Amino acid sequence: MNAAVRVEAMKLVRSRVGLIGSAAIVAGILALCGGMLLALAAGDPQLVAKLGPDASLTWAGLWSTAAQITSAGGLLAFGVVAAWLFGREFGDGTITGLFALPVGRGAIAAAKLIVFALWAAAVGTLLAGALLALGLIAGFGVPDAAAWAGAGRQIALGLFSAGLAVPAAWVATAARSLLGGVSVAIGLVVVAQVGVVAGADGWMPLAAPALWAISAGAAVSGVQLTVTLAFVALCAAGTVWWWHRLQLDR
């Protein structure tokens, strides 16, 4: 199992998809947040209306803005990487060679998920650190306890977003298609956004982490977040199970 984790980590670190995905999440969200702060400073009324009443040139406003962007853009980027991790084996024709390894396909799938979670934690932590630097540059002052709590929620939101992208890995496996997984990643973003616009509360697993982060934990309970975790665990278990039952048919 340790060998499988090392190999899968090497695949991701050396891949362009991993590099581009990391840059899209960290640099992309950071750039968008910086642009939002500049627009707020200029008093753009349309942007203020879109960001809602929490939009402000404060630490709380920065974390709220970052959470809104991460809930959509982050979920899509995580989904693309998850689909690549699993779907590339079919697209590149390497799945056949995996059957000759002493490590079972279920263990390989578990290793891929472990590497994906570790990568998401690293990217989320790097993004939170970059946002803290952005807040300091913007003149929000030394982060207080509430600002550090916001950074913690941002890291947690990144992990939740990565977990919610696991269905893309499951579908990429079932369909034996990278594009199939990417399509599901896009669909997850659409469903989550429509759910939020429609007023879905924390009982909707795809929207609960974003609502929790945007509201600083006020709008979603621990039980509702547990439902989201159960959904992620179910999708992860389903992906491993599907890999365990894989058969060569060509």
Side-chain angles (χ1 to χ4, degrees), residues 102-202:
V103 181
R105 274 89 61 204
I108 293 175
K112 287 179 179 290
L113 289 174
I114 291 171
V115 170
F116 180 61
L118 292 175
W119 169 75
V123 170
T125 303
L126 184 60
L127 173 60
L131 289 170
L132 282 169
L134 177 63
L136 290 172
I137 294 173
F140 297 163
V142 177
D144 55 11
W148 286 113
R153 284 191 299 274
Q154 177 63 35
I155 295 173
L157 177 59
L159 286 170
F160 271 118
S161 298
L164 291 173
V166 171
W170 191 353
V171 172
T173 300
R176 303 190 178 202
S177 167
L178 168 60
L179 291 180
V182 172
S183 299
V184 168
I186 297 172
L188 289 171
V189 174
V190 173
V191 172
Q193 293 301 305
V194 170
V196 171
V197 172
D201 58 17

